[in-house]
Amino acid sequence: MQQRLLRIVLLLGMLLGPVAAAHAHPKAARRYLKQLKKSTQPNVSSAEAERNAQNCFVNGVTALLLNKPQQAYTALKRALQLAPLNAAIHFKMAQLLQQYPQLVQENSVVVNALTHIYVAIALAPDNIFYYLNAVSMHTSQGNYRQATQVYEQMLQRIPPTDDLLSQLANLYIAQKDYRQAIRVYNQMEQRSGINLMLVHQKQHTYLAMNDLDSAVEEGLKLIQAYPSIEVYVLRLVQLLMENYQGYRAIPYLQDDLAAHPGHAQSQGYLAYLLLEQQD
C-alpha cells in the first residue's frame, strides 16, 4: 500500500507540472508560520472558530471535487483565516494551488503551494502525506536536490522502509549523485539483507561510476550468500562478458563447478570462455 502511494504521489508530481513560485524556500514558510502564530480572530471563541473553519474546509474540499477551483480557494482561504495553524487546511490549499496554478494570478496569491506544504509539515511533522506532496512538487519542476532534502527530513521522523529508501536512492541517481545512492542501498542491505534486486541496483549504480570491480564484488557477495543458485554465477559471468572481461569469469565458473558439477550452463560458459582464450 505504501509503495503504491509513493509511486502515485511521485507520478502526480510529474503530471501536474510546475507549481507557482518554484523557488519558494523553507525559510519563507517559517516566516509565514511565524505570522500565522500571531494571527487572532477577535470576538470569536476558539471553539466557534474551529467549527466554522471545519465547515469552510469541507466546503472547499467539496468544491475541489466538483472542479470548482475558485470556490474551493475562497472556502479554504476563509478556513485558514479562522484556523491558521491547521495543518490539514494548509495541505489541501497546497494541493489546490498545485493543481490550479492559475489561481495564483487570478487571486494575487502571495503564499504559494510550496510554502503551504512546508507549513503543513512544520505543524504536523510526522505526516508522511505532507512530505510526499512536497517531494512531488519539487520533482514536477526537476528540483531533485530540494526533493531529496525533503525526503531526508522525512526519514528523520518517519520509520524508513525499503520502498522509501529505494525512492530516495532514485532521487540521488536522478542527480547523478551515485555515492549517496550507494549509501542508501547499503542502508537497505543492513535492514533487509542481500537480495538479487538490491545487488542489481548497486551493480547498475557502480557501472554508472565506471567501477566494474565494485559491481563484481556485489555479484560475489550474492554468490557467497546463495552458493547453490547457478543463475547468480551466470549473472556475474554475463556482467564480465558485457564489459569485455569474460576471462575474469573463468575461476568463478571453475569454483562453481567444483562445488556443483551438475550446473550445465556453467559448464557451457566455461567451455566457451576457455575456447575463446585459445584464439
Side-chain angles (χ1 to χ4, degrees):
M1 178 64 182
Q2 190 176 62
Q3 183 179 22
R4 180 183 298 176
L5 166 66
L6 189 60
R7 289 174 178 170
I8 289 173
V9 169
L10 293 178
L11 179 60
L12 283 174
M14 294 183 285
L15 293 178
L16 291 175
V19 298
H23 300 292
H25 192 276
K27 288 183 178 179
R30 287 195 288 271
R31 288 195 297 269
Y32 179 50
L33 181 58
K34 188 175 181 180
Q35 295 172 5
L36 292 176
K37 289 180 177 179
K38 296 179 180 179
S39 299
T40 59
Q41 284 292 315
N43 304 321
V44 179
S45 70
S46 59
E48 182 181 354
E50 185 65 29
R51 184 166 57 253
N52 291 336
Q54 289 297 329
N55 290 334
C56 290
F57 177 74
V58 171
N59 291 338
V61 172
T62 302
L64 181 57
L65 292 173
L66 294 174
N67 294 318
K68 297 179 178 180
Q70 183 58 56
Q71 290 184 24
Y73 174 76
T74 301
L76 291 175
K77 181 180 179 181
R78 179 55 180 161
L80 282 175
Q81 290 171 344
L82 293 165
L85 300 182
N86 187 303
I89 302 174
H90 283 284
F91 173 59
K92 187 54 65 175
M93 180 66 89
Q95 288 185 316
L96 175 65
L97 294 178
Q98 181 186 23
Q99 188 172 351
Y100 295 98
Q102 70 271 20
L103 289 171
V104 174
Q105 297 297 328
E106 294 172 357
N107 297 276
S108 301
V109 174
V110 176
V111 181
N112 57 50
L114 277 170
T115 300
H116 278 294
I117 199 62
Y118 275 120
V119 169
I121 290 172
L123 293 171
D126 295 322
N127 192 310
I128 188 173
F129 294 96
Y130 299 170
Y131 291 103
L132 294 180
N133 197 265
V135 170
S136 79
M137 290 182 184
H138 284 306
T139 55
S140 74
Q141 306 160 33
N143 293 334
Y144 296 107
R145 182 177 64 83
Q146 291 91 334
T148 303
Q149 291 174 349
V150 173
Y151 227 105
E152 292 282 13
Q153 179 187 355
M154 177 182 72
L155 291 178
Q156 293 177 9
R157 304 284 307 208
I158 307 296
T161 66
D162 285 347
D163 292 335
L164 292 175
L165 290 171
S166 180
Q167 291 298 330
L168 176 59
N170 289 342
L171 287 172
Y172 279 121
I173 288 174
Q175 302 169 73
K176 297 185 179 181
D177 192 344
Y178 301 122
R179 293 191 182 281
Q180 286 298 324
I182 290 294
R183 174 186 64 81
V184 176
Y185 287 140
N186 286 338
Q187 188 176 349
M188 293 171 62
E189 186 176 321
Q190 291 172 359
R191 282 175 42 82
S192 305
I194 192 169
N195 61 70
L196 177 59
M197 182 61 69
L198 184 55
V199 165
H200 177 74
Q201 290 171 323
K202 292 176 73 174
Q203 286 179 323
H204 185 76
T205 305
Y206 277 126
L207 291 176
M209 299 166 65
N210 295 315
D211 188 352
L212 178 61
D213 288 344
S214 293
V216 170
E217 285 300 318
E218 291 300 323
L220 289 174
K221 283 165 55 178
L222 189 62
I223 293 170
Q224 291 166 1
Y226 305 98
S228 64
I229 301 180
E230 183 183 17
V231 69
Y232 293 167
V233 178
L234 300 180
R235 287 179 66 91
L236 179 57
V237 172
Q238 291 166 356
L239 172 67
L240 288 166
M241 292 177 66
E242 289 168 0
N243 287 274
Y244 308 101
Q245 297 191 26
Y247 64 91
R248 293 176 58 182
I250 292 175
Y252 304 136
L253 288 166
Q254 290 173 331
D255 289 344
D256 178 57
L257 288 169
H260 309 95
H263 282 181
Q265 288 184 285
S266 292
Q267 292 175 353
Y269 271 106
L270 180 59
Y272 171 81
L273 290 172
L274 289 174
L275 184 61
E276 190 177 57
Q277 287 294 103
Q278 296 175 6
D279 293 339

